[in-house]
Amino acid sequence: MELPEIRIHTGSNPKELLSSTDITQSYDGTVVFFTDKKNLAGVVPTAETYLAADAAFGDAMQLLISSEGMGRVLIVPTGSIQNDFDDVRRFKDAAFAAGKRSLAAGIKAPLVYFADPPSASDLGWSFDGEDDYRHFLEVSILGFLEAAYEPIDVREHAIRVDKPLKEFSSIGFIAASALDDEHVANLIKHVSAIETGRRLAKDIGSPDPERMSPINIVKYLEEMFKDDSNIKMTVIDDIDVIKKEYPLAHAVTRASLAVPRHHPRFVHFEYKSPDQSKVEENLYFVGKGVTYDTGGADVKYAGHMRDMSRDKCGAAAVAGIFKTISMLGPERVNAYGGLALVRNSIGSDSYVSDEVIYSRNGTRVLVGNTDAEGRMVMTDLLCEFKEKVMAEKEANTPASKAPSFMFTVATLTGHAIRAYCGYGIVLDNGFARRNKISKRIFDAGHVFADPFEISTFRREDIAVVQPGRSSEDIVQANDQPSTMTSRGHQYPAGFMLIASGLDKHGIGSENPIGYSHVDVAGSAEEINAVGWSLPRVTGSPVAAFTGAFLL
């Protein structure tokens, strides 16, 4: 689904631009955002009559017909933006709602104007202390683009029934202040890269488990990256190779092997900076891509299997990040990605609790709960990336002098939702903490309306997975859901740290490697759905990661 044309009109007097026929003739409707409805009349004189007659006018979004030749005008309140708990999501939510309403009204080319744009603000949210609303324009554009997006299965259905989808042909925005041409070009480039990455992530994360099975995800990715000269994509489809290289993931996928269309796939992405001498960080992203999670032998019951087709959203986001990386072409990072695309099925060959399985690292893993499969499918990829870091250091490549940071990205635990509701969570090992990785994600997520909470990695998260007998080296999980387990979203990171061998690369080691676990169980999709349907997927954390590491 291609993005509409994005235009940004800029000048020293934004209001004059709104009345310029050279600009307005290209649009079929005007959208006016405002925080204080007293500022509406100065932009839309027609509103003055309504304001005088109705004290509630301006409290909600409303479509007007202007008597001043502006045609259709959609007035959109943002709500408060300077209270203690406000943030730039006021603009994201308003833009998404305005985009949906514009499409419903038949507006295909809206022109957006900000009646009272936010002034520089320090609400004390961010660690860097910068303006909370410095990216409100980008966030507003992304909100409109999100409103116009439909998942790939919906687009395919539209073709099947020959019924075109409602979409924007173009979207124009009048900037609140004068911007030079380079600033405008970069802003559009950044927004386009974020949204393209998010759309790729949502195309994978949203559809049902058959449309986006491991095999079909690979077919989709091959199409999306086939002409991409910046990203090297490699697929592993040989079951014997998967068993040898990723034994923990293979255990999870054993029951699915009886159904050929559910067979696993592993995908690797590689991005190399065009100038290796400028590389400041080596980034490694591991994505959980469980296309359907039945819980395995510890089956999900009482309706808890519902929505488990979205257990692939971590891998979907990692894939989306690499499309964003490709479009931005950053010089100061190398990036590597690994997707574990598996199905946790039920069958006669299901892996079961009490099994002891060797990880790629040689660690003996005592299985405690087959529904704790996410940590199993990601651990061996972490180990593989650890080996790659050490091989790069041994080869003394130019970029090997730069620090390396690893991320597991997953809809991993219900505890994450219980603890933080609809927010993503990030927690660091010592080396990542020293380099402020979580704080960077928090700050970037805050200003790009993809908010995160910072959790902590404590000694208890290591202690709880220690072996209790000589037959194992580590315990994968207890027999309770994460929601019923103390530190239920933190201790899985302790398991992955040890089982992958990353615990030997802590802050005091000769070769420290940063590790941050990112649980997007709360943010990968909206918390609430319409009626009995499934929630809308979001593409998180593509925007937050872009702001933290790529811009």
Side-chain angles (χ1 to χ4, degrees):
M1 191 174 189
E2 292 186 5
L3 301 184
E5 180 185 3
I6 302 169
R7 305 182 192 130
I8 297 176
H9 306 283
T10 178
S12 58
N13 189 334
K15 190 174 178 181
E16 286 185 358
L17 300 178
L18 186 60
S19 59
S20 170
T21 55
D22 289 340
I23 293 174
T24 58
Q25 65 183 355
S26 299
Y27 302 96
D28 61 355
T30 303
V31 179
V32 178
F33 286 92
F34 64 95
T35 300
D36 186 346
K37 58 186 176 182
K38 294 177 182 177
N39 296 313
L40 262 180
V43 179
V44 187
T46 300
E48 189 167 6
T49 302
Y50 292 94
L51 287 165
D54 183 359
F57 179 79
D59 293 346
M61 182 167 54
Q62 192 164 343
L63 185 66
L64 306 177
I65 303 299
S66 168
S67 60
E68 295 85 22
M70 297 175 69
R72 291 177 291 183
V73 180
L74 185 64
I75 60 167
V76 185
T78 63
S80 66
I81 62 172
Q82 295 296 340
N83 289 331
D84 288 5
F85 308 105
D86 289 330
D87 59 56
V88 76
R89 284 176 297 167
R90 293 292 193 187
F91 286 90
K92 173 190 175 181
D93 295 343
F96 179 80
K100 288 292 188 186
R101 183 65 181 89
S102 296
L103 289 169
I107 298 173
K108 295 185 177 182
L111 175 63
V112 181
Y113 181 82
F114 300 93
D116 47 2
S119 55
S121 171
D122 180 9
L123 296 175
W125 279 110
S126 59
F127 292 97
D128 61 19
E130 293 194 31
D131 178 12
D132 297 279
Y133 292 100
R134 63 185 180 271
H135 293 301
F136 85 93
L137 178 55
E138 293 97 313
V139 168
S140 299
I141 298 171
L142 287 167
F144 267 86
L145 294 174
E146 185 175 7
Y149 166 79
E150 291 288 0
I152 187 171
D153 53 331
V154 177
R155 304 197 302 269
E156 290 170 342
H157 175 70
I159 294 171
R160 180 176 181 175
V161 299
D162 193 23
K163 184 178 180 181
L165 296 169
K166 294 178 180 179
E167 55 187 351
F168 296 124
S169 58
S170 63
I171 312 175
F173 290 80
I174 295 178
S177 58
L179 306 174
D180 60 41
D181 291 345
E182 182 180 4
H183 190 149
V184 169
N186 283 331
L187 191 153
I188 293 175
K189 178 181 178 181
H190 296 164
V191 165
S192 299
I194 291 171
E195 179 61 15
T196 301
R198 290 200 312 191
R199 290 187 174 199
L200 188 151
K202 290 189 282 189
D203 270 358
I204 295 173
S206 182
D208 74 81
E210 293 294 339
R211 176 61 187 87
M212 283 299 170
S213 65
I215 292 171
N216 285 336
I217 290 174
V218 166
K219 290 178 180 178
Y220 172 79
L221 290 174
E222 287 173 337
E223 181 66 23
M224 292 299 102
F225 287 95
K226 66 179 180 181
D227 298 320
D228 198 319
S229 60
N230 286 335
I231 303 295
K232 178 183 177 182
M233 175 179 157
T234 308
V235 177
I236 300 173
D237 57 10
D238 188 303
I239 302 301
D240 291 333
V241 172
I242 291 173
K243 182 178 182 179
K244 177 178 181 295
E245 301 294 333
Y246 313 106
L248 297 183
H250 178 268
V252 172
T253 199
R254 274 186 348 216
S256 73
L257 298 180
V259 183
R261 72 177 190 277
H262 293 164
H263 279 194
R265 295 290 185 268
F266 275 70
V267 178
H268 284 269
F269 295 110
E270 179 179 287
Y271 169 81
K272 289 288 191 73
S273 165
D275 187 343
Q276 290 294 291
S277 67
K278 293 183 178 180
V279 172
E280 298 175 7
E281 294 176 329
N282 297 292
L283 307 175
Y284 295 81
F285 301 99
V286 175
K288 173 189 174 184
V290 177
T291 58
Y292 200 74
D293 181 18
T294 67
D298 289 305
V299 64
K300 294 180 184 290
Y301 61 93
H304 294 293
M305 204 182 297
R306 188 106 191 278
D307 200 32
M308 285 299 104
S309 61
R310 269 54 184 296
D311 219 10
K312 58 189 182 300
C313 282
V318 170
I321 289 161
F322 275 86
K323 177 52 76 172
T324 299
I325 289 172
S326 176
M327 293 178 67
L328 293 176
E331 288 188 330
R332 59 185 181 83
V333 300
N334 288 333
Y336 306 88
L339 313 183
L341 304 174
V342 306
R343 180 169 170 133
N344 188 18
S345 296
I346 307 168
S348 58
D349 198 24
S350 294
Y351 86 118
V352 295
S353 299
D354 297 355
E355 282 191 53
V356 175
I357 304 169
Y358 280 92
S359 73
R360 179 188 178 105
N361 186 57
T363 305
R364 295 172 300 166
V365 174
L366 171 63
V367 178
N369 190 333
T370 65
D371 197 18
E373 84 297 331
R375 66 203 72 174
M376 297 281 282
V377 306
M378 293 189 291
T379 293
D380 291 326
L381 277 168
L382 266 184
C383 180
E384 182 179 20
F385 282 158
K386 174 203 69 178
E387 295 165 0
K388 182 171 179 57
V389 170
M390 298 310 298
E392 292 282 332
K393 286 185 178 294
E394 187 172 340
N396 197 29
T397 60
S400 67
K401 297 176 177 60
S404 294
F405 301 102
M406 297 189 182
F407 304 84
T408 42
V409 185
T411 50
L412 202 68
T413 64
H415 191 278
I417 300 173
R418 177 66 63 88
Y420 292 109
C421 195
Y423 293 84
I425 302 172
V426 57
L427 54 150
D428 297 334
N429 76 346
F431 191 63
R433 187 172 64 245
R434 174 183 286 175
N435 285 275
K436 299 179 172 57
I437 296 299
S438 283
K439 291 181 178 180
R440 287 165 61 184
I441 293 172
F442 179 95
D443 281 354
H446 173 65
V447 296
F448 279 103
D450 187 7
F452 269 79
E453 300 284 11
I454 297 177
S455 189
T456 52
F457 209 161
R458 299 288 188 180
R459 61 187 182 182
E460 289 83 359
D461 304 318
I462 301 297
V464 75
V465 296
Q466 293 302 310
R469 56 186 187 141
S470 56
S471 297
E472 73 256 8
D473 300 313
I474 192 170
V475 181
Q476 170 236 28
N478 61 8
D479 60 358
Q480 296 294 313
S482 67
T483 53
M484 302 301 293
T485 303
S486 297
R487 302 187 65 81
H489 72 266
Q490 290 113 316
Y491 87 85
F495 167 82
M496 291 186 283
L497 186 83
I498 296 170
S500 67
L502 271 176
D503 60 322
K504 304 298 191 295
H505 296 274
I507 198 168
S509 68
E510 183 179 353
N511 295 297
I513 298 173
Y515 170 51
S516 299
H517 172 53
V518 181
D519 194 331
V520 291
S523 63
E525 59 182 3
E526 297 289 338
I527 289 296
N528 297 313
V530 176
W532 290 352
S533 189
L534 300 180
R536 175 170 54 88
V537 297
T538 65
S540 177
V542 172
F545 276 17
T546 301
F549 306 112
L550 305 179
L551 299 182

